Amino acid sequence: MKIPFNKPFTIADELANIASAVRQGHIAGDGPYTRRCHEWLERNLSTHKALLTHSCTAALEMSAILCDLSPGDEVILPSFTFVSTANAFVLRGAVPVFVDIRRDTLNLDERLIEAAVTSRTRAIVPVHYAGVACEMDAIMQIAERHGLVVAEDAAQAILAEYKGRKLGAIGHLGCLSFHETKNVISGEGGALLVNDERLVERAEIVREKGTNRSKFFRGEVDKYTWVDIGSSYLPSELIGAFLWAQLEHAAEIIAKRRALCAAYRAGLSGLAASGRLALPQPAPDGVIANGHMFYVLACDLAERTALIEHLKARGIYAVFHYVPLHSSPAGRRFGRAAGELTVTDEVSSRLVRLPLYYELAESDVEQIVDAVKAFFVK
Ligand SMILES: *Cc1c(COP(=O)(O)O)cnc(C)c1O
């Protein structure tokens, strides 16, 4: 018996939708399924404009273009994140400035942001780790004081909330991922949420290779032409068809994942109470997570490595997470750290993510909990 870390799944009509898109003869981007996905995201997340992309990475790259950066401009972001959060901005010549994270949520520490702002700072990119919201009120206030763009990396955060608002829909821009490791999936896939109305027209152009093709299809111009920089950021309609089935069942997927997280927490609470390992902190007031991830913190790197090996020997695949970007070869070359990133360094060496996917059974969680207990209680 093996329990993988992640397992892609279908929940409803994904395959039938793909067949139907093929029969209807529209498999390039922006067909009827893609439009339904756009409307669903706009309605359920409350944003002006949702645009499907081929990945969250693409949505981040579009955000970087929309920030109008010049070489040497600076972007504030955590070091404890996926490479795309930084790389998208480096592609535009910007310098990522890495700020430390909070010990409770592992999110960008909003109390450290203002000290990292310089005359070159143009944007803040908060990452909602594990689908738990950053302190968006404080972040938006800092951005306003300094005239900065806020582009949320909400790759892990679909339908998670901050004070009644959906993550990705609070900053000027928000980026979602539908990669097969996320809650709602389409293999590869993502979306850009354009929350600031002033950026909508340009976002459509950037996504359509720098042309005004979207306006042309709406009959707003009589021919389309090259008007700005851009690339091909839209996914095939086959992706939209798959994703539409998942979006229709998004609430169900998230409810299941939250229940699995609760089962992990209940099962491991004894070990946590005796101080053998640390569990994720309960979400701050007003923050509702989406069951994206369940992690535990071992006491140090050696114990973390031994725990992963112990689980693997029992057919359970648990994994660590980010190598902090400020200590990666490209991070050192292109970016800089704002002060000591103590929490980032410590957490990244202690964190273990336990298996979590839609088809994981509560009995699997029990088996994993027992294996974790067997490691600590010898
Ligand atoms: C998954 C992830 C991404 C990248 O998403 P893709 O859709 O694979 O490009 C970016 N940022 C964070 C925080 C992620 O978890």
Side-chain angles (χ1 to χ4, degrees), residues 55-57 60 81-82 84-85 127 153 155-156 177 179 182 189 322:
S55 60
C56 180
T57 301
L60 288 160
T81 183
F82 188 64
S84 297
T85 319
V127 178
D153 181 339
Q156 304 174 9
S177 175
H179 185 263
K182 305 302 201 275
Y322 309 120

Side-chain angles (χ1 to χ4, degrees), residues 2-10 179-183 185 246 253 257 317 355-361 364:
K2 278 191 168 43
I3 303 180
F5 172 68
N6 180 60
K7 190 163 168 275
F9 65 102
T10 56
H179 185 263
E180 70 170 33
T181 51
K182 305 302 201 275
N183 288 21
I185 65 173
Q246 294 256 327
I253 296 167
R257 295 183 71 113
Y317 291 84
L356 187 58
Y357 47 88
Y358 182 71
E359 290 172 352
L360 188 71
D364 294 329

Side-chain angles (χ1 to χ4, degrees), residues 100-180:
D100 209 3
I101 52 175
R102 289 165 54 130
R103 220 168 248 291
D104 55 351
T105 58
L106 313 189
N107 283 332
L108 196 57
D109 190 334
E110 69 283 355
R111 295 160 301 189
L112 304 176
I113 293 176
E114 207 142 29
V117 172
T118 71
S119 61
R120 296 305 305 266
T121 309
R122 294 290 172 267
I124 306 174
V125 190
V127 178
H128 305 297
Y129 187 72
V132 173
C134 296
E135 261 317 315
M136 289 307 293
D137 280 349
I139 291 171
M140 295 308 290
Q141 280 159 20
I142 295 166
E144 191 156 332
R145 269 202 295 281
H146 298 275
L148 311 177
V149 178
V150 175
E152 299 174 67
D153 181 339
Q156 304 174 9
I158 189 161
L159 291 177
E161 292 184 22
Y162 175 79
K163 300 187 181 174
R165 299 171 73 187
K166 296 294 191 292
L167 301 190
I170 302 171
H172 303 88
L173 297 160
C175 304
L176 300 178
S177 175
F178 304 116
H179 185 263
E180 70 170 33

Side-chain angles (χ1 to χ4, degrees), residues 2-3 14 22 81 94 123 129 132 146 165 197 206 267 270 276-277 288 308-309:
K2 278 191 168 43
I3 303 180
E14 285 90 343
V22 173
T81 183
Y129 187 72
V132 173
H146 298 275
R165 299 171 73 187
E197 231 175 333
V206 167
R276 299 305 304 274
L277 91 181
I288 305 177
I308 290 174
E309 280 306 309

